[in-house]
């Protein structure tokens, strides 16, 4: 029952915080950072997959070469045919790889520009004490809104690119995914700032219940 009461109060806070079908100005900036970060993650994943594909083809060709030297003529002929097919596929991938890389570089630049623009809006809010917290969310005090904005400003677009690249390459390699520093969610993912906000509101509501 206590849990129901707690989340009912939190729900009431959220219900009065957002106009239907609209985002508050700072909320919009936070959302844009998350969406651009997600686009960077997709871009870096595509890059890692493309690189891994070429490496895998080269390894298969090398394996065919090694096997042909120890197999019978019939098997060697089959391996040679397979090798030629793999070679053609590799040549095609290597030919289009620069075009793919250039396209994703444009995507990366565009996403970084969106993050910079959104972060500029957040810096403007932080620097102007006359702007009230309800520009973001009536459920937050100005101090809380500033804290949230500063958290979104802590990582540059370049930092986000590097983090997305490390995560993508870890996934391709089957290695452990890098975890965020000192928090249990990725702030730059689309759900990151809402997770931060939900955690903060839940803590506040719980403290009010205990008080």
């Amino acid at each position: 029952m206590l849990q129901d009461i707690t989340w009912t109060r939190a729900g009431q806070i959220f219900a009065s915080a957002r106009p239907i079908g609209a985002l508050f100005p700072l909320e919009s900036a936070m959302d844009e950072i998350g969406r651009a970060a997600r686009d960077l993650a997709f871009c870096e994943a595509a890059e890692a997959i493309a690189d891994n594909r070429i490496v895998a083809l080269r390894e298969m060709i090398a394996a065919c070469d090694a096997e042909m030297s120890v197999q019978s003529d019939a098997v060697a002929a089959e391996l040679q045919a397979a090798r030629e097919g793999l070679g053609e596929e590799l040549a095609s991938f290597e030919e289009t790889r620069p075009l793919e890389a250039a396209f994703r570089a444009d995507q990366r630049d565009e996403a970084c520009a969106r993050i910079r623009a959104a972060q500029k809006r957040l810096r403007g809010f932080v620097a102007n004490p006359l702007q009230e917290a309800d520009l973001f969310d009536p459920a937050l005090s100005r101090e809380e809104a500033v804290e949230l904005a500063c958290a979104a400003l802590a990582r540059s677009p370049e930092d986000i690119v590097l983090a997305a690249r490390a995560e993508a390459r870890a996934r391709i390699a089957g290695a452990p995914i890098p975890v965020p520093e000192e928090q249990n969610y990725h702030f730059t993912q689309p759900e990151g700032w809402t997770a931060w906000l939900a955690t903060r509101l839940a803590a506040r509501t719980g403290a009010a219940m205990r008080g």
Side-chain angles (χ1 to χ4, degrees):
M1 180 178 294
L2 178 61
Q3 183 179 10
D4 292 340
I5 293 173
T6 299
W7 285 108
T8 297
R9 292 187 177 182
Q12 290 171 348
I13 295 175
F14 277 114
S16 63
R18 179 186 299 178
I20 296 176
L23 294 176
F24 288 95
L26 296 185
E27 188 178 17
S28 176
M30 301 296 302
D31 192 62
E32 182 64 15
I33 291 172
R35 291 179 183 278
R38 181 194 60 188
D39 291 344
L40 286 172
F42 286 145
C43 180
E44 293 302 326
E47 283 283 285
I49 290 170
D51 289 340
N52 192 64
R53 178 179 57 191
I54 290 176
V55 169
L57 284 170
R58 288 174 177 167
E59 289 176 348
M60 286 188 285
I61 290 172
C64 286
D65 289 339
E67 281 295 312
M68 279 191 292
S69 63
V70 297
Q71 294 294 337
S72 64
D73 291 344
V75 174
E78 293 178 359
L79 288 170
Q80 178 62 33
R83 187 200 186 287
E84 291 174 359
L86 291 170
E88 291 176 1
E89 189 173 2
L90 175 61
S92 176
F93 284 147
E94 289 180 329
E95 182 179 1
T96 59
R97 183 73 182 87
L99 296 176
E100 294 175 3
F103 175 72
R104 280 190 282 271
D106 290 341
Q107 290 181 313
R108 190 181 295 110
D109 290 345
E110 191 270 342
C112 287
R114 287 159 53 200
I115 293 174
R116 291 189 186 95
Q119 288 183 332
K120 181 178 180 180
R121 290 152 59 191
L122 293 177
R123 288 191 186 93
F125 169 74
V126 172
N128 186 354
L130 298 180
Q131 288 189 323
E132 296 297 330
D134 58 9
L135 286 176
F136 176 79
D137 187 327
L140 296 180
S141 66
R142 173 171 171 83
E143 290 73 19
E144 289 171 322
V146 167
E147 183 181 352
L148 177 57
C150 288
L153 292 169
R155 298 176 76 187
S156 68
E158 292 74 20
D159 292 335
I160 297 172
V161 169
L162 292 176
R165 185 171 302 159
E167 181 171 331
R169 297 193 180 281
R171 289 184 184 279
I172 293 296
I177 303 301
V179 296
E181 300 81 1
E182 300 180 356
Q183 50 194 24
N184 58 3
Y185 54 84
H186 288 265
F187 195 86
T188 50
Q189 290 179 350
E191 70 277 10
W193 69 267
T194 53
W196 187 98
L197 179 57
T199 301
R200 189 62 177 259
L201 291 178
R204 183 201 298 177
T205 303
M209 291 294 299
R210 292 189 296 272

